[in-house]
């Protein structure tokens, strides 16, 4: 299903879908209004070109040779402010979900991904995807990793649960979370955990390279990352006013600060 036209100079907006169900070749999908059509297994299941403010309840993609969901741009601009409740992909020949080109402020509530190259890819086309948000990503048995980001800034994934994903080509894709390129800046994963069950263990969990910077995982099963800056912290350093018990690290003077009674107090570390 294509929403918009690749290379077109117009936008599709305001559409609403309850369930889109894409299956094997020879099967059919049925839209919420009862419309049915045969499925081409060689195609991407759902692709957006310059689409704005459309709502998708659930997307089901089974054994797509392309992407399960591709969010892309056309001549009129990037796909923006689209909302996806749940995206389920069971087998994809490409990354299951791709943010391609200058697409911004799209939201995915839950993504359940099994058996793709990557679960999630940012920046496969020219232009930076920015400020896209994913609530929960559950990924299993993806060959090359969980997330690859070649372009994009200020995107956020709140929670990633990884099971049996691996890195079949560590020389080119060295980690489950791989941020690469000078345009990959300040992207955040709130929480990440991984377990290897039967596939080979991944080469690495997180790699940031080739000029990528400011990308981070804020918490894992092993601990939580606190704010780091050069110099003593102040309340103004935080987007939300910090409460007592908040920590910060002074990377210049090798001090750990904690806020107590409204005052930042420190201890030096060797």
């Amino acid at each position: 299903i294509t929403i918009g036209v690749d290379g077109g100079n117009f936008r599709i907006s305001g559409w609403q879908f309850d369930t889109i169900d894409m299956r094997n070749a020879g099967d059919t999908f049925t839209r919420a209004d009862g419309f049915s059509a045969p499925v081409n297994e060689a195609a991407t299941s759902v692709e957006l070109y310059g689409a704005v403010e459309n709502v998708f309840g659930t997307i089901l993609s089974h054994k797509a040779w392309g992407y399960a969901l591709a969010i892309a741009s056309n001549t009129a601009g990037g796909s923006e402010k689209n909302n996806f409740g749940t995206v389920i992909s069971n087998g994809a020949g490409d990354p299951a979900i791709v943010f391609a080109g200058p697409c911004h402020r799209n939201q995915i509530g839950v993504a359940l991904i099994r058996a793709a190259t990557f679960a999630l890819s940012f920046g496969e086309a020219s232009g930076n995807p920015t400020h896209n948000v994913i609530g929960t990503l559950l990924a299993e048995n993806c060959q090359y990793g969980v997330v690859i980001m070649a372009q994009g800034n200020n995107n956020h994934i709140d929670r990633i649960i990884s099971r049996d994903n691996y890195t079949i080509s560590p020389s080119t894709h060295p980690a489950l979370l791989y941020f690469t390129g000078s345009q990959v800046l300040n992207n955040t994963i709130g929480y990440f955990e991984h377990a290897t069950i039967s596939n080979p263990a991944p080469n690495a969990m997180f790699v940031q390279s080739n000029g990528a910077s400011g990308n981070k995982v804020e918490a894992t099963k092993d601990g939580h990352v606190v704010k780091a800056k050069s110099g003593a912290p102040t309340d103004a350093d935080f987007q939300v006013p910090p409460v007592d018990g908040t920590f910060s690290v002074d990377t210049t003077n090798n001090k750990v600060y904690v806020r107590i009674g409204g005052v930042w107090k420190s201890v030096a570390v060797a």
Side-chain angles (χ1 to χ4, degrees):
I1 294 178
T2 301
I3 312 298
V5 176
D6 186 11
N9 192 26
F10 60 90
R11 294 179 180 272
I12 298 294
S13 64
W15 290 16
Q16 183 168 338
F17 299 84
D18 182 11
T19 300
I20 297 176
D21 190 348
M22 304 293 284
R23 309 237 177 164
N24 291 338
D27 288 346
T28 61
F29 74 90
T30 302
R31 231 169 39 197
D33 62 3
F35 175 80
S36 295
V39 173
N40 176 6
E41 187 178 16
T44 292
S45 291
V46 178
E47 189 150 16
L48 279 63
Y49 290 107
V52 178
E53 295 182 350
N54 300 285
V55 177
F56 301 80
T58 301
I59 294 175
L60 305 171
S61 175
H62 184 62
K63 293 185 178 179
W65 283 102
Y67 310 115
L69 171 63
I71 303 173
S73 62
N74 63 11
T75 305
S79 292
E80 300 178 0
K81 304 176 187 176
N82 298 285
N83 184 276
F84 305 84
T86 302
V87 179
I88 301 173
S89 172
N90 185 18
D94 288 319
I97 300 174
V98 60
F99 292 86
C103 51
H104 315 294
R105 298 167 66 182
N106 299 284
Q107 298 177 346
I108 299 175
V110 177
L112 310 174
I113 310 300
R114 178 178 287 114
T117 53
F118 293 92
L120 183 62
S121 173
F122 288 82
E124 291 197 8
S126 178
N128 274 331
T130 68
H131 296 283
N132 299 288
V133 176
I134 297 174
T136 298
L137 170 62
L138 279 65
E140 178 182 343
N141 198 31
C142 295
Q143 295 178 316
Y144 288 86
V146 177
V147 176
I148 181 169
M149 193 169 294
Q151 294 184 97
N153 59 78
N154 295 293
N155 300 288
H156 179 83
I157 306 168
D158 193 56
R159 185 177 182 87
I160 297 178
I161 308 298
S162 169
R163 292 293 182 268
D164 230 16
N165 301 291
Y166 55 110
T167 48
I168 195 171
S169 181
S171 62
T172 57
H173 303 94
L176 292 184
L177 308 175
Y178 184 34
F179 299 84
T180 177
S182 60
Q183 297 184 71
V184 181
L185 306 170
N186 303 319
N187 300 285
T188 304
I189 296 169
Y191 175 84
F192 175 80
E193 70 171 68
H194 171 77
T196 292
I197 302 169
S198 58
N199 285 327
N203 179 67
M205 297 296 171
F206 178 96
V207 168
Q208 181 173 236
S209 66
N210 298 318
S213 66
N215 307 289
K216 62 183 178 181
V217 177
E218 293 182 327
T220 70
K221 288 178 65 177
D222 301 317
H224 194 282
V225 178
V226 301
K227 185 177 184 64
K229 61 165 292 187
S230 176
T234 69
D235 287 0
D237 293 325
F238 295 79
Q239 288 186 333
V240 177
V243 298
D244 286 352
T246 301
F247 281 84
S248 180
V249 175
D250 178 352
T251 56
T252 299
N253 300 302
N254 297 324
K255 291 182 177 182
V256 175
Y257 281 82
V258 61
R259 191 178 189 273
I260 301 174
V263 178
W264 288 97
K265 299 184 178 183
S266 67
V267 60
V269 293

